[in-house]
Amino acid sequence: MPDLSTSYLGLQLKSPIIAAASGLTNSLQDIIELEKHGAGAVVLKSLFEEEIVTEMDHELNKMHSENYLYPETMEFYEDYDVEDTLSRYLKLINDCKENVQIPIIASINCLTAHNWPYFAKSLEDAGASALELNISVLPSDSELTSAENEKVYFDIISAVKNEVTIPVSIKISNYFSNLAGMLKRFSNAGVEGIVLFNRFYSPDFDIDSFDIVPANKFSSSDDYIMPLRWIAIMSDRIECDLSASTGVHDGTTLIKMILAGASSVQVASTLYKNGFAHIQIMLQELSTWMTSKDFSNINQVKGLLSQSKSINPAGYLRIQFMKHFAEK
Ligand SMILES: Cc1cc2nc3c(=O)[nH]c(=O)nc-3n(C[C@H](O)[C@H](O)[C@H](O)COP(=O)(O)O)c2cc1C
């Protein structure tokens, strides 16, 4: 039986499958089940930057209200359960530390480095093993330069790194004009890992009602192609770990991601569709494949098909179909 353990963000994971941040990683009961079914770690459902900042404003307003009373503001906050959201999150981390052995990675959805990074320390103090920053900047403002959009990422990384000693990873999209350069700069900025790539809420159209409706929230099993290419291109070129996210639905894709150089994969859609037991099925496929190829541990597999080790490095860079355009 091959050893399926892996190192990710300096943490020792018993398996390379991480339960990605989602509604499935929001309760102790589910996290206990994920551990039982073989998850190597869990990324908790994200807190939002806005939730943290609103809580801080709430405290300020409470102070003001003692002297000046702003009834409308206080009414708004009375209905807003943000304080509970934050304390529930910290309690969940605490409960996980007492009830499961696998690393618990806290997660924050953030857009700016303003006001919230101090809160990262509370996550560390509650017992989080690492912190994943889901940085989601949609570069849709045509007045902003690429440099201005990019600066946000480095401001956030530096502000959070100033607050915590636990490992920090960032989860990003592929919306960069110079993706390879940015990945290198993120790694040089000191993050311990990068998750490639997040899958965002996307708008779609209803052509009968003319409404904007949410596109399918789950990935398809072909979506792994984009992270596979970029992990293979970058895994030998940067210091930090890479974790594959989006479209990892089965054992074969898990194997491909490790061959590309991923230290771990993160799964959400396949767990929604197939249940937690699917983790064991994927791990069994990895184990059977490793045995058939005489591999005894993950390090022997990791990066074997990265671009730098390939006999056909140009194959990773091709973006036009060439030959296929000529075929019917
Ligand atoms: C219902 C749902 C909720 C999610 N919530 C979060 C979240 O809170 N934070 C986050 O970083 N990603 C979140 N994601 C994204 C997933 O963590 C994951 O990156 C994405 O779904 C791609 O992986 P998959 O193809 O395995 O689904 C969510 C995804 C789904 C489907």
Side-chain angles (χ1 to χ4, degrees), residues 8 15 18 50 70 123 147 219 239 302-305 319 327:
Y8 175 59
S15 94
I18 296 176
E50 295 93 313
Y70 295 113
L123 300 170
S219 62
E239 290 295 313
K302 193 174 150 194
L304 267 186
L305 289 181
I319 50 175
E327 288 169 354

Side-chain angles (χ1 to χ4, degrees), residues 20-23 44-46 48 107 109 132 134 171 197-199 217-219 245-249 266-270 272:
S22 79
L44 298 182
K45 170 111 189 92
S46 306
F48 284 78
S107 164
N109 283 337
E132 184 177 282
N134 171 8
K171 185 177 186 185
F197 295 103
N198 201 355
R199 184 165 192 279
K217 70 177 175 182
F218 297 126
S219 62
S245 165
T246 296
V248 183
H249 284 213
Q266 301 201 2
V267 292
S269 295
T270 198
Y272 276 100

Side-chain angles (χ1 to χ4, degrees), residues 110-130:
C110 45
L111 284 163
T112 73
H114 302 153
N115 300 330
W116 69 266
Y118 79 95
F119 182 74
K121 182 81 177 81
S122 317
L123 300 170
E124 173 170 326
D125 292 344
S129 307

